[in-house]
């Protein structure tokens, strides 16, 4: 009995080091309804609309795109409940927003989805839709999305032939069932500022759907004026640990342990993995040798960015994550996007450090 009392006392003795939650302790169980309910514009765009998009008078195509998307929204919402009438009387709108990095394509896509309404529209990135198919199956995904008036696909990616074919089939079946479409894609970083756009690649890859899409070219400069890749060094691991100690909405994980944990969670659940998290801290950040691991990290970074969750990166920092071979390979657009977004989130994290 005495031994039991000693153990019990040890269990309740207050620790001198506040404990911090860990992402590796989370295994979110996300059902079909949550997966579909999450198909809305990310919180990053909660306050945005067509009215908050600031057009640059030097690039008239920006105002032209806003005007056309307002027309699309009016068309899709002006029929009351008569979607059947709409199917019979008018072509189903399908628009592709074509432009360089940082010209506001995602802002406009999110504004279109919000103007049509959350009950009528579905919004997600290309990867989120492929993950949705992986979680629900192809036919259930088509049936669920076919109940919407509009499906928006942000960052349509052309680097995986299998996924591109899958998405082209999904979009074809949705348009055949009267669903309007809107999509965006980005140019590769080496093409920024050169006036090269992705429309030709997009239309070629979706083949028989290409004639259904109206291309809205959006010229302009990157409003963020950020370098694509940041070179900020990682923080000392002890600084990262001290910064989040006792912070209620922070998580603290070893980078290697987190990347291993991501392999056990379906990517469609990475958003739920971040529920209630206001700051993510990682120690021991190091280069990634395996491409599968790197691609899972890209998805997590996208979900962090969608939710404006700052990060603190210990170890080597973000600039070493992806090898030169990865940055020159077929998935380079994903990796450059992740570096840009992770750099922005790391800047936000450093602003929260004392002093």
């Amino acid at each position: 009995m005495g031994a039991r009392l000693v153990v019990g006392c040890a269990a309740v003795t207050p620790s001198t080091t506040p404990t911090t939650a860990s992402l590796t302790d989370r295994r979110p169980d996300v059902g079909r309804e949550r997966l579909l309910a999450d198909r809305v514009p990310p919180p990053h765009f909660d306050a945005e609309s067509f009215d908050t998009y600031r057009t640059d008078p030097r690039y008239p195509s920006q105002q032209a795109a806003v005007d056309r998307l307002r027309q699309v929204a009016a068309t899709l919402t002006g029929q009351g409940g008569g979607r059947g009438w709409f199917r019979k009387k008018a072509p189903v709108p399908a628009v592709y927003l074509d432009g360089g990095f940082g010209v506001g394509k995602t802002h406009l896509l999110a504004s279109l989805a919000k103007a049509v309404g959350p009950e009528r529209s579905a919004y997600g990135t290309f990867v989120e839709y492929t993950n949705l198919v992986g979680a629900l199956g192809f036919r259930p995904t088509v049936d669920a999305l076919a109940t919407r008036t509009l499906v928006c696909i942000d960052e349509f990616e052309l680097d995986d032939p299998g996924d591109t074919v899958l998405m082209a089939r999904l979009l074809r079946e949705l348009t055949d069932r009267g669903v309007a479409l809107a999509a965006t894609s980005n140019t590769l970083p080496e093409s920024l500022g050169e006036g090269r756009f992705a429309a030709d690649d997009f239309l070629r890859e979706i083949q028989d759907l290409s004639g259904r899409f109206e291309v809205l070219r959006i010229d302009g400069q990157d409003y963020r004026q950020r370098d694509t890749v940041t070179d900020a060094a990682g923080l000392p691991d002890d600084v990262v640990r001290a910064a989040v100690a006792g912070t209620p909405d922070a998580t603290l994980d070893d980078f290697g342990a987190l990347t291993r944990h991501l392999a056990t969670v379906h990517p469609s659940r990475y958003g739920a993995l971040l529920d209630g998290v206001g700051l993510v801290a990682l120690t021991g950040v190091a280069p990634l040798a395996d491409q599968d691991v790197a691609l899972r990290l890209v998805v997590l970074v996208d979900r962090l960015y969608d939710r404006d969750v700052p990060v603190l990166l210990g170890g080597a920092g973000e600039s070493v994550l992806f090898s030169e071979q990865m940055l020159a390979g077929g998935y380079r657009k994903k990796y450059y996007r992740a570096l840009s977004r992770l750099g922005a989130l790391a800047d936000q994290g450093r602003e929260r450090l004392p002093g």
Side-chain angles (χ1 to χ4, degrees), residues 18-26 239-254 258 273-283 304 308-313 349 352-353:
T19 59
T20 305
S22 170
L23 293 178
T24 57
D25 291 335
R26 296 183 169 206
V239 171
V240 172
R241 295 188 189 97
V244 298
T247 302
D249 63 348
T251 61
L252 174 65
D253 291 275
D254 171 74
L258 177 61
L273 193 69
L274 300 172
D275 284 351
V277 176
L279 176 65
V280 166
L282 300 174
T283 59
L304 287 165
D308 284 324
V309 178
V311 299
L312 291 172
L313 303 178
R352 297 180 59 163
L353 292 174

Side-chain angles (χ1 to χ4, degrees), residues 119 206 328:
E119 295 81 14
I206 62 174

Side-chain angles (χ1 to χ4, degrees), residues 37-50:
D38 282 349
R39 298 283 59 78
V40 295
H44 185 77
F45 294 96
D46 278 351
E48 308 300 347
S49 67
F50 290 133

Side-chain angles (χ1 to χ4, degrees), residues 39-300:
R39 298 283 59 78
V40 295
H44 185 77
F45 294 96
D46 278 351
E48 308 300 347
S49 67
F50 290 133
D51 291 336
T52 63
Y53 182 80
R54 296 290 177 257
T55 58
D56 188 332
R58 295 175 297 173
Y59 303 101
S61 60
Q62 294 184 6
Q63 185 61 56
V66 174
D67 293 342
R68 176 59 183 136
L69 292 175
R70 286 185 185 274
Q71 291 174 354
V72 171
T75 298
L76 297 177
T77 59
Q79 309 304 324
R83 290 193 61 214
W85 180 94
F86 175 77
R87 284 194 183 106
K88 294 177 182 178
K89 296 295 184 182
V92 178
V95 293
Y96 173 77
L97 309 185
D98 176 39
F101 189 74
V103 296
K105 299 187 304 298
T106 299
H107 181 143
L108 291 176
L109 189 71
S111 299
L112 176 61
K114 292 169 69 174
V116 173
E119 295 81 14
R120 292 171 176 248
S121 65
Y123 180 102
T125 64
F126 179 95
V127 172
E128 286 178 310
Y129 283 113
T130 58
N131 289 337
L132 187 65
V133 172
L136 301 183
F138 182 81
R139 184 54 52 191
T141 300
V142 172
D143 291 342
L145 295 178
T147 65
R148 308 296 176 94
T149 302
L150 169 71
V151 168
C152 297
I153 310 100
D154 195 23
E155 297 166 0
F156 199 101
E157 298 179 353
L158 306 172
D159 46 23
D160 187 302
D163 284 346
T164 302
V165 171
L166 172 70
M167 282 297 293
R169 181 186 169 200
L170 177 67
L171 299 187
R172 183 172 59 251
E173 296 216 12
L174 290 175
T175 56
D176 287 345
R177 293 173 67 168
V179 179
L181 302 175
T184 76
S185 184
N186 280 327
T187 56
L188 291 171
E190 60 264 29
S191 300
L192 297 181
E194 297 178 10
R196 300 178 187 170
F197 299 92
D200 291 342
D201 291 338
F202 172 79
L203 295 176
R204 181 177 62 251
E205 292 297 333
I206 62 174
Q207 299 174 12
D208 61 321
L209 274 174
S210 61
R212 308 187 193 189
F213 273 86
E214 172 189 0
V215 176
L216 303 180
R217 177 165 168 165
I218 305 174
D219 301 285
Q221 299 176 341
D222 183 354
Y223 74 94
R224 284 166 290 217
Q225 298 297 311
R226 283 184 55 88
D227 293 331
T228 301
V229 181
T230 61
D231 294 319
L235 299 165
D237 284 346
D238 58 346
V239 171
V240 172
R241 295 188 189 97
V244 298
T247 302
D249 63 348
T251 61
L252 174 65
D253 291 275
D254 171 74
F255 181 69
L258 177 61
T259 57
R260 290 189 294 273
H261 181 62
L262 292 179
T264 70
V265 179
H266 193 276
S268 64
R269 295 172 169 81
Y270 285 7
L273 193 69
L274 300 172
D275 284 351
V277 176
L279 176 65
V280 166
L282 300 174
T283 59
V285 175
L288 296 169
D290 185 274
Q291 189 144 256
D292 288 340
V293 177
L295 291 173
R296 284 192 288 268
L297 181 66
V298 167
V299 177
L300 180 66

